[in-house]
Amino acid sequence: MALPSTPHSPGRLVAIQPLKHKRCAGCRRGPLPLLVLEDGAPHCLDCADLGHLVFLPRGDTALTRRSREESTLSVVVVRFNRRKSRYERQGVLVEEAALARAEERCLADAEARRRRRARDARRRAVEDERFVAAFAAEILRLFPGCPAERARAVAAHASVRGSGRVGRSAAGRALSEGAVISAVVAAVRHVDTPYNQLLMSGVSRYEARRRIAPSVQSVLRAWQGAGEDVG
């Protein structure tokens, strides 16, 4: 049975992973894991003067690109997809030394990326520490009676990266008074009142908030050291 129509890759050599057993038209060896079509006849890589190349499967775009850059000879490897009625790339054949050089380049890049990620993580940690300190300071300004350790805990919780909490919002990043108060109220609600237990017992969120509102206001007034309520 003949192979499907020859895959076309302008300016590039192409090798095929056959779907059925094929023998080389030159040396008669088979079955062939890879073949090259010459005048419509299958030939093994050795007969096609490509036997010295090594196969690099698809999947790592950077390694593939660099292997082809380093190799003086490269071959696109394809396989016919019956369901889609087309050839699809499976990888490339490149010189072994070229693949080794490409791997070294990729490893160097990976190390550089690792170091950059580490630097970025340290920078973000310093930024986060500064922001938590500023957020805690704003809490203490608004609620001077709040214990310093508690203010820092509230600030740290509210400003966790990727949490979606109020400290990560635009208002929170700007240390707006409303955002800071919201963070404090939420912390008091969960830590200093039976709010969580009410939710676990099946009380709706709105009803639970109504029940614990006096307790929240009591804590906030004590921390403010003044008689005004906070909403």
Side-chain angles (χ1 to χ4, degrees), residues 56 63 66-67 96 98-108:
L56 172 62
L63 182 59
R66 287 173 172 171
S67 295
E96 189 169 5
L99 176 57
R101 290 192 296 270
E103 288 173 336
E104 290 177 359
R105 289 172 61 187
C106 287
L107 286 174

Side-chain angles (χ1 to χ4, degrees), residues 5-6 24 93 108 116 169 179 181 215 218 225 231:
S5 57
T6 306
C24 177
L93 295 170
R116 183 167 60 249
S169 66
I181 292 174
S215 298
S218 176

Side-chain angles (χ1 to χ4, degrees), residues 138-158:
E138 187 63 10
I139 291 174
L140 292 175
R141 185 184 72 81
L142 295 171
F143 301 96
C146 176
E149 299 81 3
R150 184 71 184 279
R152 180 170 181 81
V154 172
H157 179 79

Side-chain angles (χ1 to χ4, degrees), residues 28-218:
R28 304 307 301 166
R29 285 185 298 176
L32 300 176
L34 290 172
L35 61 87
V36 175
L37 289 177
E38 293 182 347
D39 297 325
H43 289 75
C44 68
L45 295 185
D46 285 334
C47 288
D49 294 329
L50 301 173
H52 64 294
L53 302 181
V54 295
F55 178 57
L56 172 62
R58 67 180 181 181
D60 190 327
T61 303
L63 182 59
T64 297
R65 174 174 53 81
R66 287 173 172 171
S67 295
R68 296 185 65 172
E69 290 172 354
E70 294 285 350
S71 187
T72 60
L73 182 64
S74 64
V75 181
V76 177
V77 177
V78 298
R79 182 170 60 208
F80 191 72
N81 185 319
R82 286 195 179 102
R83 183 174 60 84
K84 297 180 180 179
S85 298
R86 70 186 186 196
Y87 280 97
E88 296 179 335
R89 293 193 179 198
Q90 304 302 309
V92 293
L93 295 170
V94 293
E95 295 163 337
E96 189 169 5
L99 176 57
R101 290 192 296 270
E103 288 173 336
E104 290 177 359
R105 289 172 61 187
C106 287
L107 286 174
D109 274 1
E111 176 62 16
R113 287 194 297 272
R114 185 192 67 78
R115 291 178 180 176
R116 183 167 60 249
R117 286 194 299 269
R119 288 195 302 271
D120 290 344
R122 289 194 296 270
R123 174 182 53 78
R124 287 193 298 269
V126 171
E127 291 174 354
D128 289 349
E129 180 65 24
R130 289 173 179 167
F131 179 68
V132 168
F135 202 100
E138 187 63 10
I139 291 174
L140 292 175
R141 185 184 72 81
L142 295 171
F143 301 96
C146 176
E149 299 81 3
R150 184 71 184 279
R152 180 170 181 81
V154 172
H157 179 79
S159 59
V160 173
R161 284 181 182 267
S163 65
R165 296 170 188 151
V166 67
R168 302 309 302 182
S169 66
R173 298 297 295 176
L175 296 177
S176 76
E177 186 171 302
V180 174
I181 292 174
S182 292
V184 174
V185 169
V188 171
R189 182 185 298 132
H190 287 284
V191 176
D192 300 287
T193 77
Y195 180 68
N196 293 348
Q197 292 91 323
L198 290 173
L199 294 180
M200 290 297 292
S201 67
V203 177
S204 72
R205 179 164 60 93
Y206 297 106
E207 175 60 18
R209 288 193 176 193
R210 187 189 67 79
R211 293 185 190 180
I212 56 92
S215 298
V216 172
Q217 292 297 328
S218 176

